Amino acid sequence: MAAAAAAAASVCNICEDPLVVEVDEEEDDGEDAMPQTVPDDLELPCACHFHWQCLLDQSASVAVSLKCPSCQSSLAQSGAGPSAAASSSLPSTSGVSILTKYTNEGGVQENLDILPAIVEEAYLEANPQARPARAFHVMCSEGDVDGIVDLLRDVDQGGDGEEPVLSPAQLIRYQDPLASMKSGLHLAVEQGREEVVWLLLWLASPLRTDAFPGPLREIAQAMGLHRPDTPPFDDIRALEDGRGRTAEAIAAEREEGPWVALLQANVLHPGSS
């Protein structure tokens, strides 16, 4: 309650509303019931306060300048200023952080580095087509096979039509510049998601069909996942991350779990069939 009172005593430097957000109550207390609020107070190193979303809406400028959108104070904690990246309008953030104090419903988080969230939102604002690709990568990391299939079907149908989208083939091979150029296959191997690995190989490699486990072939056919004709130069297994590693190389680093058998059978080897 004390945190809520403190948040309500000040306002956001952008929208000038109290530093709280309304929450939906599970029980309906009638139309005259007072709205319930929780703290939403993000304090920057310069002592300016914002709602989380209000600051996130300023990501494009903050990611480039590393300055407070209100008082223009430098926010870089390492003493480093912004430096333009070679292939992007966003700065290189290596060794730089923006440490904040964030008070929300869960309590107080001290020294919360918000720069990764700022850079990600700025990138997605400049590249809206990458939003479904980022969601795709989360699903690959979490092993959400059904979610991957649903997303690919939605993209194949043109998405919601409100913003540009990648094709299913582009989505499957998308390499994230904010995550060392890893693909969904890299992430699936890293996180031990064998079913996702087989799914991506089914959809984006020239690996012969009889190399896939029988149960997986039956599931793919039941889900209507017909294999496209993938030429060697589009083989997802050939994609390299920012360190020059293929998914096979990452699997070799682990040498455990399902990857041992797949490595021995050359299933992850680029170009193998």
Side-chain angles (χ1 to χ4, degrees), residues 173 200-212 227-238 267 269-273:
R173 294 170 178 80
L200 297 181
L201 296 181
W202 180 269
L203 295 172
S205 83
L207 186 66
R208 66 184 189 279
T209 299
D210 62 9
F212 290 81
R227 295 199 70 192
D229 184 14
T230 303
F233 56 80
D234 276 341
D235 190 346
I236 192 173
R237 297 171 297 179
V267 167
H269 188 66
S272 67
S273 58

Side-chain angles (χ1 to χ4, degrees), residues 17-94:
D17 287 336
L19 290 164
V20 296
V21 292
E22 293 187 8
V23 294
D24 295 328
E25 291 295 304
E26 293 184 1
E27 296 182 3
D28 185 6
D29 294 326
E31 295 182 359
D32 297 331
M34 294 293 292
Q36 298 297 309
T37 61
V38 296
D40 182 27
D41 181 0
L42 183 65
E43 181 181 357
L44 299 188
C46 57
C48 288
H49 292 253
F50 304 90
H51 293 116
W52 176 273
Q53 188 59 51
C54 285
L55 185 65
L56 211 60
D57 289 343
Q58 305 298 313
S59 293
S61 62
V62 176
V64 173
S65 69
L66 298 183
K67 292 182 179 180
C68 172
S70 179
C71 72
Q72 297 301 305
S73 296
S74 175
L75 301 175
Q77 300 298 97
S78 67
S83 57
S87 60
S88 172
S89 60
L90 300 180
S92 171
T93 58
S94 177

Side-chain angles (χ1 to χ4, degrees), residues 163-202:
E163 56 186 33
V165 296
L166 303 175
S167 69
Q170 291 172 321
L171 190 65
I172 292 171
R173 294 170 178 80
Y174 176 79
Q175 293 179 263
D176 192 349
L178 300 182
S180 301
M181 297 304 293
K182 293 175 183 175
S183 69
L185 184 61
H186 287 97
L187 296 171
V189 170
E190 280 188 342
Q191 300 301 319
R193 307 300 186 183
E194 185 181 5
E195 289 186 354
V196 172
V197 168
W198 281 116
L199 173 62
L200 297 181
L201 296 181
W202 180 269

Side-chain angles (χ1 to χ4, degrees), residues 109-130:
Q109 300 178 65
E110 300 278 0
N111 297 319
L112 176 66
D113 183 9
I114 63 165
L115 187 54
I118 291 291
V119 171
E120 176 179 3
E121 185 61 27
Y123 174 76
L124 294 176
E125 183 178 328
N127 302 274
Q129 73 278 6

